[in-house]
């Protein structure tokens, strides 16, 4: 461009350049080096791709993809319905969504904290049952008033989870038992043992589920009238925000949080610097367990008020994938949890409106998670291609 | 039709050049090896011997030059191509599956049919072992075998595939003297059976004992090819070391203070291995002194640094820092007592690559009052501190102190590490390979930094594979060979040739 | 007591063949938590074709079972190819991939059964494929022996198939060239690579084998336990139970057989025990405790035998040929 070019001409060129071949190549290389941008874009690609595939599936079974997906989000309260029944509004739907999503966010935080120290926690479901069961029996079936019951539920659940997590960390260190293997064992052990007691003493023969816990102990307030609309108030959600902020502050601003992350990033360096790897692994698993315990409390004494025996809550496994989708960052985790909970919650409305079974949202979630599992490869492939392009650009003198 | 070349030379490598990013590993090297001879390649680290042989074995392709095997020009795209022509290599790091038996390892990849016939394989192995004097029980599991027997299994893998040309990469690095004798006998037997052997090594005595000819490489170039019976070990050492001083640096005269570090009879044997990596090492380092340990890679010097810092546990002997025994202290305690350590491996040990520059700089001081307010990190203090170091040590990066270290250049990463360690103001500074992979300007800078600390009265332990660096920086030199420090003397009493000779195992009276 | 023993075999052998699949995958170096999902994918495919064949030909369920098993193997293998590609070629984390496979399988099979019933078979949106019972036989004479006679009573034909398959897999893993290379890939892939073995191909095929075997085992379990395929009833954690068994068996085929039979015996013994006169517990109650036992036992075993932690050396490590 000559100096005599007008400002307007230069401006136009600047807009067009990114779309030229060279401009696109340079921008691609720059983008591939921007880790935060990639951390956003790749999961979004996975989500979009899965919706595309989901739309195709919806079309094949004879439903209108646009209408179906729209009604799914309307059912979740993320978008507004055209009409609401008596005592319901988008707000009430959204509150229900928060209620359902809270356990998932707790569980995903649990996965994320463990991952910060390089550990995989797939035992969240088992801890959820453990904490849900013991809290139900000790507090949920008691007649304690709410201002005692609810704090106790929270404290007991967190402590149980903390102990379970510490045990896993300790066993890993002392006996070198892989934490994934331990998690499988503990999941089913906790489930079957608590099932025994439920069947024996606490079963409701009609619902085939455990006796429901008292409303005083429940972390979700139901049937609350607010301006002509009946909503639920998930107290667990408030707790979640507080805990999430605390966890985030711990990991990013305290010395111990930093040491924990250092162990996860490079255990050899952490050791060289004088950090105790053992202590931090146990700490990470303990924290992760405590969060899993809270997931259990907000699930069994919050989102629902009963324990269905012989079922491992899928929350513990969905959380792993949510963590993957959310890039281990609290905001990403929160948004991904909302998305996935939203899709499951909104499935009922989608069925009512478009006649598509609730299995479709689950399927789209499954596809989404499969794509999410590919993000590591996408990142690697993008780096590879980018390095090639960068080399070529350098040879051509453009970089 | 071209006449077949004279079959006297089974291998000819002509004008081989191989470049890697930033370095010319082989620079116009030509060698010819006769059938049935034992041909040694001698040189320091980085001389280019391993690279040259890797191309012969098919791991890399040369950038320039040609390779001829039995008179025919060849192009190897993978080790399978080389193997098909009868070339085999015994690597320094064995490629053996531990839970498998000897027979299973040998037969892997060459099972001869859908079913693995271990019986026939064992028979063939037993025959081969008799033929070459390599005692091995085909049914032993690798994990139960000592290192020298494992090496034999590697040799068997080659013989089983009817290899005619056998390349050995530093085979005696992991053997005891007795085992070395046994290996040298095996090499003789192999030669008698008509095999051609290439031996990559830095051990002069062994070359004298067993090799016919020896090619001497230095910094990628071929210096000379000699008949081993016609030269002495000191001749070979001098050719190998040469005069390679990059530049001379001004050093103030030494002003020694009290003893800061004292090692007494320190030995270390890794669990499961039979050879002591560190044997009965004793030396002192004083205030205001640079004590350098010279030696070829793999003779135990890296382990000494890890032992002093506390990363390696299980060594015997005494480690005394400023009068206090520290061998029972944790790594953290030792750092607090005043030990600074710049390790060999920048990426795997010294830095958390995915963290910011400022966090990496403040890494060792995160738990000090300077950066802590209760439980919380004082981010502003960390930033201030890292900015100071970035400025003082000229650490360049894309986004300043918040740059993710992974994206920084090696030189700047090293400057950050060195800055971090020096600013700890420790009593003892350990530097291992501080200028590896850096350009001349950076090297000079770092040398000046090290000497500055020495002049300030710090005790400096320098462990380096570059003779250059040692000659320029050291006040006292200890030469390590096979885990033991064979010679300690004032730098001013030593010259490169002598140090080089000790590095190669030539003893005091050689 | 007879029924305990015959049930032990009828349940334990399918568990065993699934575990063998897991052994092949993990011993080649690919962590496989997805056996649950592979089981389901295989059982779905097999049940689908069983229903189609039965309606077209009118053959008995017992005869159709053989076809069902064949298609189950195919379905399991095809589904497992996703895990294989993700883990071997796309460098995905193997634990995450396994968990995701399970999630996907549950969602996909539930959706497909309902949709196919509604759209293709036009019998309404029900979630079940009815496959009927599998054929069984009793060996006369020996089955009358008190106590051990149970082992020869009510033997399902699929048990025989599994025994034959297990023997083939045993020979394949320990006596053939393929098995040797597979085990090398799981212990030290660099050694295999330098010996000319294609680590990627071997690992990929090992995962497919685990998919096929899991499919077969899943199909048999569907026939035995619920005589139908229903995604809500099928996924009971038996995939994880077989993982437990193969860990308890130290990734070796014969000890894993012992583990599977032990776990199976414990389960049915509990049911029998609870049904005894004088024991006032419902069978469901007692069985839950005993169902925890396999997992507790495995955990305790791992603690006590921690010194000989025998997992394959390179299990879970992504193999990158470029890194030397």
């Amino acid at each position: 461009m000559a100096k005599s070019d007008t400002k307007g001409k230069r401006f136009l060129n600047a807009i067009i350049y990114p779309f030229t071949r060279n401009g696109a190549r340079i921008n691609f290389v720059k983008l591939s080096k921007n880790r935060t941008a990639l951390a956003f874009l790749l999961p979004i690609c996975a989500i979009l791709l899965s919706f595309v595939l989901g739309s195709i599936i919806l079309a094949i079974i004879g439903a209108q993809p646009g209408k179906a997906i729209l009604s799914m989000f309307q059912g979740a309260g993320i978008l507004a319905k055209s009409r609401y029944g008596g005592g319901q509004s988008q707000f009430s739907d959204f509150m229900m969504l928060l209620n359902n999503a809270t356990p998932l966010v707790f569980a995903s935080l649990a996965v994320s904290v463990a991952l910060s120290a390089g550990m995989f926690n797939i035992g969240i479901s088992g801890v959820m049952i453990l904490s849900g069961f013991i809290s139900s029996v000790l507090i949920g079936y008691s007649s304690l008033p709410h201002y005692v019951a609810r704090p106790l539920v929270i404290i007991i659940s967190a402590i149980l989870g903390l102990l379970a997590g510490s045990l896993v960390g300790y066993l890993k260190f002392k006996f070198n038992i892989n934490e994934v293997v331990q998690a499988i064992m503990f999941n089913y052990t906790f489930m079957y043992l608590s099932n025994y007691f439920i069947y024996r003493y606490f079963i409701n023969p009609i619902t085939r589920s455990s006796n429901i816990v008292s409303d005083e102990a429940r972390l979700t307030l139901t049937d609350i009238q607010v301006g002509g609309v009946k909503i639920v108030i998930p107290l667990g959600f408030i707790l979640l925000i507080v805990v999430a902020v605390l966890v985030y502050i711990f990991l990013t601003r305290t010395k111990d949080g930093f040491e924990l992350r250092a162990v996860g990033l490079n255990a050899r360096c952490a050791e060289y610097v004088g950090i105790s790897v053992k202590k931090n692994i146990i700490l990470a698993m303990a924290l992760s367990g405590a969060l899993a315990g809270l997931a259990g409390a907000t699930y069994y004494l919050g989102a629902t008020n009963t324990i269905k025996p012989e079922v491992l809550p899928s929350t513990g496994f969905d959380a792993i994938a949510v963590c993957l989708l959310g890039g281990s960052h609290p905001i990403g985790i929160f948004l991904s949890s909302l998305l996935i909970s939203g899709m499951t919650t909104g499935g009922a409305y989608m069925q009512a409106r478009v006649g598509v079974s609730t299995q479709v949202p689950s399927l789209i979630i499954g596809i989404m998670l499969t794509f999410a599992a590919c993000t590591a490869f996408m990142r690697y492939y993008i780096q590879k291609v980018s390095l090639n392009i960068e080399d070529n650009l350098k040879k051509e003198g453009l970089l | 039709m071209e006449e077949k070349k004279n079959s006297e030379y089974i291998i000819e490598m002509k004008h081989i050049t191989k470049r890697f990013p930033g370095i010319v590993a082989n620079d116009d090297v030509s060698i010819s090896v006769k059938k049935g001879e034992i041909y040694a390649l001698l040189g320091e680290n980085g001389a280019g011997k391993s690279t040259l042989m890797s191309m012969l074995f098919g791991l890399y392709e040369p950038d320039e030059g040609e390779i001829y095997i039995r008179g025919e020009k060849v192009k190897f795209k993978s080790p399978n191509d080389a193997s098909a022509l009868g070339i085999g290599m015994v690597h320094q790091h064995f490629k053996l599956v531990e839970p498998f038996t000897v027979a299973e390892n040998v037969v892997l990849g060459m099972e001869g049919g859908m079913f693995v016939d271990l019986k026939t394989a064992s028979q063939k192995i037993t025959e081969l072992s008799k033929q070459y004097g390599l005692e091995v029980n085909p049914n032993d599991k690798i994990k139960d075998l000592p290192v020298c027997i494992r090496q034999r299994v590697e040799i068997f893998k080659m013989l089983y595939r009817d290899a005619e040309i056998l390349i050995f990469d530093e085979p005696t690095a992991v053997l005891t003297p007795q085992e070395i004798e046994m290996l040298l006998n095996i090499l003789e037997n192999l030669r008698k059976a008509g095999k051609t052997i290439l031996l990559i090594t830095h051990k002069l005595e062994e070359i004298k004992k067993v090799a016919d000819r020896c090619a001497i490489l230095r910094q990628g170039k071929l210096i000379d090819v000699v008949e081993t019976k016609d030269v002495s070990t000191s001749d070979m050492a001098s050719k190998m070391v040469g005069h390679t001083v990059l530049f001379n640096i001004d050093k103030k005269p030494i002003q020694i203070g009290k003893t800061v570090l004292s090692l007494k009879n320190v030995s270390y044997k890794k669990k499961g291995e039979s050879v002591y990596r560190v044997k009965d090492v004793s030396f002192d380092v004083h205030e205001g002194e640079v004590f350098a340990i010279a030696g070829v890679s793999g003779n135990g010097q890296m382990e000494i640094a890890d032992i002093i810092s506390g990363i390696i546990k299980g060594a015997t002997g005494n480690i005394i820092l400023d009068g206090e025994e520290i061998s029972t202290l944790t790594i953290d305690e030792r750092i607090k007592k005043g030990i600074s350590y710049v390790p060999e491996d920048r990426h795997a040990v010294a830095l958390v690559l995915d963290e910011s520059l400022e966090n990496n700089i403040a890494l060792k001081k995160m738990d000090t009052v300077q950066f802590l307010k209760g439980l919380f990190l004082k981010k502003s203090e960390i930033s201030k501190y890292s900015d100071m170091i970035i400025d003082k040590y000229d650490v360049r990066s894309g986004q300043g102190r918040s740059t993710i270290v992974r994206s920084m250049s090696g030189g700047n990463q090293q400057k950050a590490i060195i800055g971090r360690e020096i600013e700890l103001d420790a009593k003892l500074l350990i530097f291992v390979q501080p200028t590896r992979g850096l350009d001349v300007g950076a090297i000079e800078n770092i040398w000046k930094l090290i000497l500055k600390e020495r002049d300030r009265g710090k005790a400096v332990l320098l462990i380096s594979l570059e003779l250059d660096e040692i000659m320029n920086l050291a006040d006292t030199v200890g030469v390590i060979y096979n885990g033991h420090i064979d010679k300690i003397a004032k730098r001013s009493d030593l010259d490169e040739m002598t140090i080089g000779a000790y590095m190669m195992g030539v003893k005091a009276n050689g | 007591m007879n029924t305990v023993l015959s049930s032990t075999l009828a349940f334990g052998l399918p568990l065993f063949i699934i575990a063998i699949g897991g052994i092949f995958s993990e011993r080649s170096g690919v962590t496989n938590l997805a056996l649950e999902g592979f089981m389901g994918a295989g059982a779905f495919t097999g049940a689908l074709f069983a229903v189609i064949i039965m309606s077209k030909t009118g053959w008995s369920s017992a005869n159709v079972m053989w076809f069902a098993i064949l298609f189950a193997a195919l379905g399991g293998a095809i589904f497992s190819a996703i895990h294989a590609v993700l883990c071997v070629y796309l460098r995905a984390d193997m634990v995450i991939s396994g968990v995701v496979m399970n999630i996907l399988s549950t969602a996909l099979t539930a959706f497909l059964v309902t949709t196919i019933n509604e759209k293709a078979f036009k019998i309404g949106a029900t979630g079940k494929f009815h496959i009927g019972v599998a054929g069984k036989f009793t060996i006369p004479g020996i089955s009358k022996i008190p106590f051990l006679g149970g082992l020869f009573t009510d033997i399902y034909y699929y048990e025989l198939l599994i025994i034959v398959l297990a023997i083939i897999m045993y020979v394949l893993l320990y006596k053939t060239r393929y098995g040797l290379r597979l085990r090398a890939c799981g212990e030290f892939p660099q050694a295999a690579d330098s010996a000319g073995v294609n680590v990627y191909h071997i690992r990929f095929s090992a995962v497919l084998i685990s998919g096929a075997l899991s499919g077969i085992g899943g199909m048999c379990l569907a026939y035995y336990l619920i005589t139908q395929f229903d995604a809500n009833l099928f996924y009971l954690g038996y995939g994880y139970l077989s993982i437990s068994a193969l860990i308890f068996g130290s990734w070796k085929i014969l000890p894993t057989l012992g583990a599977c039979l032990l776990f199976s015996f414990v389960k049915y013994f509990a049911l029998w025990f609870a049904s005894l006169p004088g024991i006032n517990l419902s069978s469901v109650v007692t069985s839950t405790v005993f169902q925890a036992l396999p997992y507790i036992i495995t955990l305790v075993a791992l603690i006590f035998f921690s010194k000989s932690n025998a997992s394959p050396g390179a299990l879970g490590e992504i193999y990158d040929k470029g890194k030397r």
Side-chain angles (χ1 to χ4, degrees), chain A residues 145-165:
Chain A
H146 66 94
Y147 47 85
V148 180
R150 290 195 182 121
L152 274 183
V153 164
I154 293 172
I155 293 174
I156 292 177
S157 304
I159 291 183
L160 281 171
L162 188 130
L163 290 174

Side-chain angles (χ1 to χ4, degrees), chain B residues 249-262:
Chain B
I249 206 163
D250 283 323
K251 218 168 80 165
K252 293 198 188 131
I254 183 170
Q255 281 191 307
I256 278 195
K258 61 174 183 190
T259 309
V260 171
L261 174 72
S262 187

Side-chain angles (χ1 to χ4, degrees), chain C residues 93-110:
Chain C
D93 183 279
M94 296 180 190
V95 172
I96 292 181
S97 178
V99 169
V100 168
M101 286 296 105
N102 289 341
I103 296 176
L104 184 64
S105 173
T106 327
L108 187 63
T109 54

Side-chain angles (χ1 to χ4, degrees), chain B residues 178-357:
Chain B
Q178 295 84 349
E179 292 166 346
I180 294 175
E181 282 301 316
M182 288 197 280
L183 178 65
L184 295 181
N185 283 332
I186 292 169
L187 293 181
E188 264 301 321
N189 290 340
L190 289 169
R191 185 248 295 272
K192 282 199 199 109
K195 309 286 182 193
T196 309
I197 297 176
L198 286 105
L199 191 59
I200 303 174
T201 182
H202 64 276
K203 309 250 182 124
L204 293 170
E205 301 290 343
E206 291 154 20
I207 296 179
K208 273 295 269 185
K209 276 193 199 137
V210 89
D212 300 310
R213 292 193 296 155
C214 176
I216 303 171
L217 292 111
R218 196 201 313 145
Q219 294 194 323
K221 296 192 175 58
L222 179 67
I223 305 297
D224 200 359
V225 178
V226 299
E227 299 276 335
T228 51
K229 58 185 188 315
D230 295 335
V231 292
S232 68
T233 50
S234 29
D235 283 342
M236 288 196 277
S238 66
K239 282 190 208 281
M240 193 186 72
V241 163
H243 265 290
T244 56
V245 181
L246 285 175
F247 45 85
N248 281 309
I249 206 163
D250 283 323
K251 218 168 80 165
K252 293 198 188 131
I254 183 170
Q255 281 191 307
I256 278 195
K258 61 174 183 190
T259 309
V260 171
L261 174 72
S262 187
L263 257 69
K264 294 199 193 310
N265 309 108
V266 172
S267 295
Y268 170 65
K269 183 163 82 95
K270 197 166 169 191
K271 242 185 177 179
E273 288 183 2
S274 52
V275 184
Y276 273 84
R277 292 197 177 204
V278 176
K279 283 180 217 152
D280 200 31
V281 164
S282 307
F283 61 87
D284 294 336
V285 185
H286 307 85
E287 281 177 339
E289 176 186 20
V290 173
F291 184 96
I293 300 184
V296 177
S297 171
N299 278 288
Q301 58 269 65
M302 307 309 176
E303 283 81 347
I304 290 179
D306 279 345
I307 290 172
I308 297 173
S309 70
I311 293 177
I312 286 186
K313 304 163 184 29
T316 58
N318 299 93
I319 307 170
I320 301 160
L321 183 73
D322 206 12
E324 203 186 328
E325 172 68 65
I326 63 166
S327 44
T328 52
L329 298 184
T330 64
I331 299 174
D332 194 37
E333 286 165 341
R334 296 187 203 199
I335 294 177
K336 302 253 181 339
K337 289 276 178 203
I339 299 183
S340 244
Y341 182 17
V342 175
E344 182 194 16
D345 196 335
R346 245 164 258 163
H347 289 176
V349 181
L351 295 169
V352 182
L353 289 174
D354 292 308
E355 261 289 353
S356 65
L357 180 57

Side-chain angles (χ1 to χ4, degrees), chain A residues 276-295:
Chain A
S276 163
V277 175
K278 171 180 177 179
K279 171 187 141 205
N280 280 292
I281 284 187
I282 295 181
L283 175 66
M285 290 308 278
L287 277 178
S288 181
L291 287 165
L294 290 177

Side-chain angles (χ1 to χ4, degrees), chain B residues 58-88:
Chain B
L59 281 172
Y60 306 125
E61 280 186 65
D63 294 325
E64 285 161 36
E66 294 153 345
I67 304 178
Y68 292 80
I69 306 289
R70 298 183 193 92
E72 306 254 345
K73 186 163 143 180
V74 295
K75 228 173 152 52
F76 293 137
K77 296 228 181 289
S78 83
N80 284 336
D81 294 340
S83 182
L85 285 180
I87 303 177

Side-chain angles (χ1 to χ4, degrees), chain A residues 29-315:
Chain A
V29 171
K30 277 201 197 141
L31 181 66
S32 71
K33 299 198 182 196
N34 186 344
R35 295 174 117 220
T36 17
L38 281 183
F40 258 113
L41 283 179
L42 290 177
I44 290 183
C45 279
I47 295 173
L48 286 176
L49 271 173
S50 64
F51 273 110
V52 167
L53 203 52
S55 303
I56 297 176
I57 293 175
L58 282 166
I60 291 180
I61 62 170
Q64 279 180 293
K67 198 169 172 206
I69 294 178
L70 189 67
S71 55
M72 187 170 70
F73 285 117
Q74 286 171 334
I78 296 177
L79 297 172
K81 296 174 185 164
S82 49
R83 219 169 22 96
Y84 282 94
Q88 287 182 342
S89 74
Q90 182 180 10
F91 183 59
S92 64
D93 285 341
F94 190 70
M95 282 289 117
M96 185 58 86
L97 172 62
L98 290 183
N99 190 27
N100 290 338
T102 301
L104 184 57
V105 184
F106 266 122
S108 308
L109 282 176
V111 172
S112 171
V113 168
L115 216 52
S116 301
M119 307 275 287
F120 256 120
N121 187 353
I122 68 167
I124 294 167
S125 297
V127 171
M128 281 171 73
I129 293 182
L130 176 71
S131 61
F133 173 68
I134 305 257
S135 301
S136 297
V137 167
L138 289 181
I139 312 289
Y141 297 152
S142 73
S143 45
L144 292 169
H146 66 94
Y147 47 85
V148 180
R150 290 195 182 121
L152 274 183
V153 164
I154 293 172
I155 293 174
I156 292 177
S157 304
I159 291 183
L160 281 171
L162 188 130
L163 290 174
S166 314
L167 178 62
V168 171
Y170 174 74
L171 286 179
K172 175 171 172 96
F173 233 84
K174 191 88 194 280
F175 299 105
N176 195 24
I177 309 175
N178 178 273
E179 73 271 16
V180 171
V181 168
Q182 285 192 55
I184 298 175
M185 304 303 139
F186 280 122
N187 274 345
Y188 285 99
T189 304
F190 289 149
M191 183 181 96
Y192 284 123
L193 285 181
S194 54
N195 281 182
Y196 170 72
F197 289 106
I198 292 177
Y199 275 131
R200 190 88 196 269
Y201 301 113
F202 305 108
I203 192 77
N204 179 325
I206 305 170
T207 62
R208 299 304 298 159
S209 190
S210 75
N211 293 327
I212 60 175
V213 294
S214 83
D215 281 339
E216 295 285 306
R218 199 167 165 193
L219 292 175
T220 300
L221 303 168
T222 49
D223 273 347
I224 307 291
Q225 195 85 2
V226 169
V229 177
K230 265 200 188 160
I231 61 167
V232 294
I233 297 185
L235 297 172
F237 184 74
I238 302 170
L239 177 66
L240 170 65
I241 304 285
V242 173
V243 169
V245 169
L246 285 177
V247 166
Y248 183 73
I249 291 180
F250 171 73
L251 284 179
T252 55
R253 291 190 199 271
T254 66
K255 169 197 83 131
D256 294 290
F258 179 79
E259 291 189 351
L260 198 147
R261 284 187 298 119
V263 170
L265 286 171
N266 187 344
R268 275 185 76 189
C269 181
E271 186 191 29
Y272 150 78
V273 161
I275 297 174
S276 163
V277 175
K278 171 180 177 179
K279 171 187 141 205
N280 280 292
I281 284 187
I282 295 181
L283 175 66
M285 290 308 278
L287 277 178
S288 181
L291 287 165
L294 290 177
T298 52
Y299 185 77
Y300 286 118
L301 290 99
T304 69
N305 55 5
T306 174
I307 304 178
K308 218 166 164 37
E310 301 205 57
V311 173
L312 267 183
S314 66
T315 318

